[in-house]
Amino acid sequence: MKFTLKTLFSKFVSTIISENACQGGAIDWCKKTDREGLTFGEAIEMYLADDEAKSGWAVWNLIKFDSDFNGDVKKGFIKKIKDPMTALQLFRRLKHLTEEEDNILKNKFEGKLPRAEKELKDGVIRREKEKKNVNY
Amino acid sequence: MSTTDKKFPRTEADSGSSWDAIGNADYDDSHYDKATDLKDETSSFLILTNFGFTTSDVPVGSTITGIEVEIMRYVYRLSGLATVITDNTVQLINGAGTPVGDNKASGLSWPLDFASEALASYGDPSDNWSASLTASDIIDSDFGFRLAVTESGSKCGTPSIEYVKIRITYTVAGGGSIKKLSGVAWASVKKVLKVAEASLKKVAGVVAN
């Protein structure tokens, strides 16, 4: 795992700058928040408590760093996701979710999106996690 | 069971500020409602109402058995950007202007680029969306539906809607009962005829003797 709650936040900020995160959005928030010695865990707590901070950054982080976040970091960002369809799309697209993380996301959409849930169940939409790796 | 024509909305509104072009989903004419450059966010609601149903379309007292919504749409994007736009909310609005019933949002991505523009359908003639709508709701100018979309591909995409149509399926009040009554009445008539036939045969026998 590249990033844990104890990772220095500044290391993560450098990474997202190199990954072309939104100037004026995520990067501004990160620069405003960062201070010497701030850990990733502390920054995530501040992000969760900041109602002005958009949940789209959590989506971007989760998709971009799916396999680079450890479970605690992933769960921290998942907490920011309130919208059922966004939770379903993450459930569909993230390849490296544990069963516990699967269930956290499922709880955010189950019973709220009857059509999309049926599409998942019937295989009309498929989870990246369940697609088999094919070697050519 | 009866079905109305498919009708277009006559009133369009944005619950927030995402939809920077509205008023174009009212006809199949290559003009589009658009929410320009969504990225990692959910749009505000596009609210489409006033579909122009009247009591001639849905008589007062009818039971609403099905509602079908069709949306012709695609995603405009800069060449090659892997934007991912999906429904977020597809929900009916009753005659009081209140969102009601199931959220029929699909988890499928919207088609990318104009060449792939396609029709999405929601509901069927036997699906009432658990919305408990009445004929009075349907003919109210506030009846309609609302739509929001989500971009989750971290790339700018512009959801574009050419038109929306709604069709209603209903049963006329008392229609079902009349059919049953006719069946009962027909059985009674047949019974009476049988008795009359038997009586006539009896009379005919007496006269012959």
Side-chain angles (χ1 to χ4, degrees):
Chain A
M1 296 296 166
K2 213 165 166 185
F3 299 104
T4 71
L5 294 180
K6 289 181 180 168
T7 305
L8 280 179
F9 187 51
S10 53
K11 181 184 168 192
F12 181 67
V13 177
S14 311
T15 305
I16 63 169
I17 289 172
S18 67
E19 292 284 351
N20 296 319
C22 294
Q23 287 287 352
I27 291 176
D28 278 1
W29 186 89
C30 290
K31 284 182 175 168
K32 184 183 78 182
T33 306
D34 198 16
R35 57 179 156 73
E36 202 179 333
L38 185 76
T39 66
F40 202 6
E42 290 164 335
I44 289 172
E45 286 304 318
M46 292 164 81
Y47 171 62
L48 294 175
D50 185 349
D51 292 337
E52 302 286 308
K54 291 186 173 178
S55 61
W57 187 49
V59 176
W60 185 83
N61 283 332
L62 287 163
I63 291 173
K64 197 90 186 167
F65 301 102
D66 188 5
S67 60
D68 292 333
F69 286 163
N70 83 347
D72 291 330
V73 171
K74 216 175 270 187
K75 278 188 272 181
F77 281 116
I78 288 174
K79 270 188 197 167
K80 191 77 173 177
I81 308 301
K82 310 284 183 208
D83 174 65
M85 182 56 86
T86 304
L88 184 138
Q89 290 301 330
L90 289 171
F91 182 77
R92 175 189 176 187
R93 295 177 60 194
L94 297 180
K95 287 182 183 170
H96 302 279
L97 293 173
T98 63
E99 199 177 333
E100 185 192 5
E101 291 153 5
D102 276 352
N103 288 330
I104 294 171
L105 282 171
K106 267 201 229 171
N107 285 335
K108 291 175 187 281
F109 68 77
E110 269 187 343
K112 294 169 186 158
L113 299 166
R115 174 175 174 147
E117 288 172 48
K118 188 170 185 308
E119 288 168 343
L120 258 182
K121 193 178 158 199
D122 295 347
V124 175
I125 49 177
R126 292 178 61 200
R127 297 191 65 190
E128 292 295 328
K129 188 180 165 180
E130 287 164 1
K131 287 182 186 168
K132 285 181 184 166
N133 291 322
V134 181
N135 295 317
Y136 294 99
Chain B
M1 210 143 66
S2 305
T3 302
T4 67
D5 290 338
K6 293 175 182 174
K7 298 209 173 197
F8 298 101
R10 298 172 181 186
T11 304
E12 301 180 32
D14 182 357
S15 72
S17 56
S18 302
W19 298 90
D20 45 0
I22 61 171
N24 302 309
D26 59 343
Y27 203 59
D28 179 1
D29 61 356
S30 296
H31 287 88
Y32 293 83
D33 282 1
K34 291 177 184 177
T36 302
D37 287 349
L38 284 185
K39 184 179 173 187
D40 285 333
E41 62 181 318
T42 295
S43 73
S44 47
F45 290 110
L46 178 64
I47 299 167
L48 304 161
T49 55
N50 194 10
F51 282 75
F53 292 108
T54 67
T55 51
S56 306
D57 299 305
V58 184
V60 174
S62 301
T63 301
I64 308 303
T65 58
I67 298 128
E68 296 162 86
V69 175
E70 291 181 351
I71 305 174
M72 182 63 96
R73 81 283 188 262
Y74 79 99
V75 178
Y76 171 80
R77 59 173 178 159
L78 290 178
S79 180
L81 283 184
T83 181
V84 178
I85 301 256
T86 56
D87 296 340
N88 180 278
T89 306
V90 177
Q91 192 176 28
L92 296 171
I93 296 171
N94 68 15
T98 306
V100 288
D102 297 336
N103 176 1
K104 295 278 189 190
S106 164
L108 291 168
S109 302
W110 282 29
L112 299 174
D113 305 325
F114 175 69
S116 305
E117 183 181 32
L119 194 67
S121 300
Y122 305 85
D124 62 51
S126 60
D127 181 358
N128 66 12
W129 299 47
S130 307
S132 304
L133 292 175
T134 63
S136 304
D137 283 309
I138 303 297
I139 62 175
D140 197 294
S141 61
D142 286 332
F143 164 72
F145 86 106
R146 63 179 190 164
L147 168 79
V149 297
T150 295
E151 200 291 323
S152 60
S154 297
K155 298 284 186 293
C156 289
T158 299
S160 306
I161 297 171
E162 183 173 15
Y163 65 81
V164 169
K165 290 178 187 176
I166 290 185
R167 180 164 69 178
I168 309 294
T169 302
Y170 61 92
T171 53
V172 180
S177 305
I178 288 167
K179 277 182 190 165
K180 278 182 191 166
L181 188 64
S182 297
V184 171
W186 179 234
S188 301
V189 167
K190 282 207 295 195
K191 212 171 177 182
V192 168
L193 284 173
K194 252 186 177 171
V195 171
E197 188 185 13
S199 301
L200 282 171
K201 276 180 181 168
K202 216 172 179 181
V203 170
V206 170
V207 170
N209 293 330

